[in-house]
Amino acid sequence: MRDQEKFATSDLDIAAMRVEYGVDAGDNHPGLETDLDESWLAGGWEPLLRNWIEDATSAGVRDPNAMVLATVEVTDSGPRPSTRTVLCKGLSSEGVTFYTNYESFKGRQLIATPYASATFVWTAMGRQVTVRGPVRQVAPEVTAVYWQSRPRGSRLGAWASEQSRTIASRADLDRRMDEFERRFAEVDDIPVPPFWGGFLIEPETVEFWQGRRSRMHNRIRVLLEPGNTDIAAMKIERLQP
């Protein structure tokens, strides 16, 4: 009750929250001293995105490979957007890869409507990147390679969690984990669950955003043909903020 009273009487003015971007606003991160330019994409979209993730890593950003994934849920009332944060676990000229339980909300939504949007946000650096395009499951051998890099606890968690399904309590969830720890106690190489694997977003568009003062941000969008990794086939255009 005390916490509820505190929240109810909060005088926090959310509408007044405002941050100015750009080096002249006091930021001190790579890339902020110069304006995002079309020439930065001469080598394609993937090298620049990789460079920005590396910059975020060097700057100490937690989970620099985190991205907000948007999918579509088809209901009787029509399509509904659905978002959550996942980790990018693969980046190449073909697209962006992440892994999940195929029977989770996002897994079922992507199988039913194989199209997604994912946004990387590095607020402290005044940068974000949005990748949009069709989605396909990666080959089992690709999933197997990534699975080998996962810690034992993460592998057990993938088996124990019926992701997105309801459960009565935290204690019940912990009991499920204990059950699978016993099940695989004598197994050194825990196998990939048959319901778990990777998705690849094949970009149709990739938009790079760089914050600037007075909300006059830099936005550059790359238009691509999904599955076509030829740099010559991409189109670059600048958008108004």
Side-chain angles (χ1 to χ4, degrees):
M1 182 63 70
R2 189 176 303 166
D3 285 342
Q4 291 177 350
E5 291 175 353
K6 179 181 70 174
F7 297 145
T9 59
S10 172
D11 59 359
L12 180 67
D13 187 355
I14 294 178
M17 291 181 175
R18 187 166 290 104
V19 173
E20 283 288 5
Y21 295 97
V23 67
D24 54 343
D27 294 317
N28 185 24
H29 291 296
L32 289 180
E33 68 280 2
T34 55
D35 280 316
L36 171 62
D37 187 78
E38 290 84 344
S39 64
W40 293 15
L41 289 151
W45 66 272
E46 184 264 337
L48 182 56
L49 174 53
R50 185 178 295 275
N51 178 259
W52 281 16
I53 293 174
E54 290 175 351
D55 284 346
T57 302
S58 298
V61 173
R62 183 169 184 175
D63 289 334
N65 58 329
M67 58 187 189
V68 179
L69 175 72
T71 55
V72 176
E73 178 183 8
V74 179
T75 71
D76 293 339
S77 301
R80 297 289 185 267
S82 180
T83 60
R84 79 289 290 159
T85 301
V86 300
L87 296 178
C88 168
K89 288 296 182 178
L91 180 60
S92 71
S93 59
E94 291 186 343
V96 172
T97 302
F98 62 94
Y99 293 84
T100 189
N101 185 317
Y102 287 141
E103 297 174 0
S104 65
F105 285 156
K106 60 181 171 295
R108 296 198 303 269
Q109 290 163 4
L110 286 168
I111 290 170
T113 307
Y115 197 94
S117 177
T119 300
F120 298 82
V121 182
W122 307 287
T123 305
M125 305 185 69
R127 290 174 173 176
Q128 66 181 17
V129 177
T130 298
V131 179
R132 297 175 63 245
V135 175
R136 61 177 170 84
Q137 294 184 24
V138 305
E141 53 268 27
V142 175
T143 291
V145 170
Y146 169 67
W147 180 261
Q148 290 298 318
S149 73
R150 285 170 66 87
R152 183 177 181 85
S154 296
R155 298 190 196 187
L156 288 169
W159 277 98
S161 174
E162 296 179 313
Q163 195 174 84
S164 301
R165 297 186 184 182
T166 59
I167 195 165
S169 67
R170 177 70 207 194
D172 287 343
L173 184 60
D174 291 339
R175 277 192 288 272
R176 282 189 58 84
M177 186 67 162
D178 291 341
E179 290 171 8
F180 281 92
E181 285 179 342
R182 290 192 295 271
R183 173 177 171 179
F184 292 110
E186 304 301 322
V187 179
D188 291 330
D189 189 11
I190 299 172
V192 180
F195 49 80
W196 193 94
F199 283 108
L200 173 72
I201 304 175
E202 298 180 295
E204 243 177 21
T205 66
V206 182
E207 181 182 327
F208 291 83
W209 179 98
Q210 180 192 55
R212 279 294 181 261
R213 290 187 67 87
S214 302
R215 295 301 187 261
M216 294 298 286
H217 310 309
N218 286 313
R219 295 175 61 191
I220 293 182
R221 180 170 62 186
V222 182
L223 304 178
L224 303 143
E225 300 172 10
N228 186 350
T229 60
D230 184 2
I231 295 176
M234 72 180 189
K235 178 182 177 182
I236 299 174
E237 54 190 18
R238 181 174 288 271
L239 305 177
Q240 298 184 53

